Amino acid sequence: MKTFRKILVTNDDGIDAPGLRVAEAVAAELADEVWTVAPEHDQSGVGQGISLHTPLRVYHHGERRFAVSGTPADCVMFALAEWFAEEAPDLVLSGVNCGANLSDSVMYSGTVGAVLAAAHLGLPGIALSQAFVGDREAIDYTPTERHSAALIRELWAAGADRDGYQRACWNLNFPDRPVAELRGSRFTRQIGGGIAGPRLVHGTDGRGLTYHWLSFERRPGSIEHPQSDVVALRDGFVSVMPLQPTRCDDALADHYWEQGERPLP
């Protein structure tokens, strides 16, 4: 018995990424109908960005399978406007990302950006990421492949509100361990402190012009908070993090709302 009627699958690593095939297989376990609309090329690090200065082009890659020349958020919006205008998918599944999307990286992740874009439009979404150490060409996606469907069903069963409407979106990260060594799942929080600051790698191109690669200085082992996603993976647990589409600090907004309007300084 399938849990869903239709699932939309996307990612940020591109239409040819191995992890996308894993996500499609997971979606096929869950849904009667799977649609894939993924970026034409790698869009890692674009967050929830959308294309405002270039047109979008779409390329057919098989039955209900398309590449879009844009970001993961573009793919979600394109799919909803083009193929789901009359009936939205039950779930947006993003991934499986090549590498973890943890703590400081969550806000930059295109994988996560896709599910946040879905949440802004009232659709539930789940981001899947597989951690790895070493060779990115030899990633073992087995933990994600083996346990994603059951975890998604569990979250879905527990996440409905009183009207039976799913509003939650989630960021799931799987540790780089053999399946037999996984200890379970753990609900986690986004804890900062792993990034020390930006770093520029300089170079010179064939015409003698300077270019710069942007990267980050990281603090290995700096995150020790017991509720953090980083610690969960380190301990051998799948990290299950609830996400929210708004960036507003609601508690602080409520605090000042109770004080009423104030004159301009």
Side-chain angles (χ1 to χ4, degrees):
M1 180 67 180
K2 302 285 188 177
T3 306
F4 306 97
R5 292 171 297 115
K6 297 180 181 181
I7 289 180
L8 171 62
V9 179
T10 190
N11 72 349
D12 73 355
D13 290 326
I15 191 69
D16 295 319
L20 184 64
R21 292 293 188 180
V22 177
E24 290 171 321
V26 171
E29 289 185 55
L30 295 166
D32 296 314
E33 190 172 298
V34 176
W35 288 73
T36 297
V37 184
E40 181 186 11
H41 302 296
D42 192 330
Q43 293 284 327
S44 298
V46 301
Q48 204 178 329
I50 56 175
S51 298
L52 297 178
H53 302 288
T54 55
L56 297 176
R57 303 184 187 279
V58 62
Y59 306 94
H60 190 216
H61 280 253
E63 184 179 4
R64 296 194 298 269
R65 201 167 192 271
F66 302 89
V68 172
S69 62
T71 68
D74 286 334
C75 291
V76 171
M77 295 183 184
F78 192 104
L80 294 179
E82 180 71 6
W83 297 292
F84 295 102
E86 300 297 325
E87 183 182 34
D90 301 309
L91 176 69
V92 175
L93 197 61
S94 183
V96 175
N97 192 67
C98 171
N101 280 305
L102 302 171
S103 290
D104 291 323
S105 299
V106 172
M107 68 181 67
Y108 302 112
S109 166
T111 306
V112 174
V115 301
L116 292 176
H120 271 124
L121 298 172
L123 295 175
I126 297 177
L128 302 173
S129 299
Q130 176 62 60
F132 74 94
V133 178
D135 185 3
R136 65 185 295 119
E137 300 300 323
I139 297 177
D140 181 7
Y141 289 96
T142 306
T144 308
E145 191 170 23
R146 187 78 57 86
H147 292 288
S148 290
L151 270 173
I152 290 169
R153 287 193 179 101
E154 184 177 90
L155 291 171
W156 187 264
D161 67 9
R162 293 176 184 175
D163 301 321
Y165 180 69
Q166 297 280 343
R167 289 193 174 89
C169 54
W170 301 88
N171 181 30
L172 273 57
N173 282 271
F174 292 78
D176 182 23
R177 290 197 181 195
V179 169
E181 295 181 12
L182 297 182
R183 299 176 62 190
S185 63
R186 179 187 289 173
F187 286 94
T188 60
R189 298 175 59 184
Q190 182 181 358
I191 305 295
I195 293 179
R199 178 169 63 95
L200 292 176
V201 178
H202 308 285
T204 304
D205 66 17
R207 297 179 297 162
L209 301 175
T210 301
Y211 64 83
H212 314 275
W213 281 111
L214 178 62
S215 61
F216 295 104
E217 293 285 355
R218 298 186 179 273
R219 300 187 182 99
S222 62
I223 299 178
E224 299 294 342
H225 193 291
Q227 287 182 278
S228 77
D229 48 7
V230 172
V231 171
L233 260 67
R234 192 183 302 158
D235 291 345
F237 290 89
V238 179
S239 166
V240 181
M241 180 188 294
L243 302 172
Q244 58 182 12
T246 176
R247 298 295 295 272
C248 178
D249 186 333
D250 291 333
L252 189 59
D254 288 342
H255 169 75
Y256 284 114
W257 175 262
E258 292 172 359
Q259 296 182 14
E261 293 84 357
R262 298 186 295 178
L264 293 172

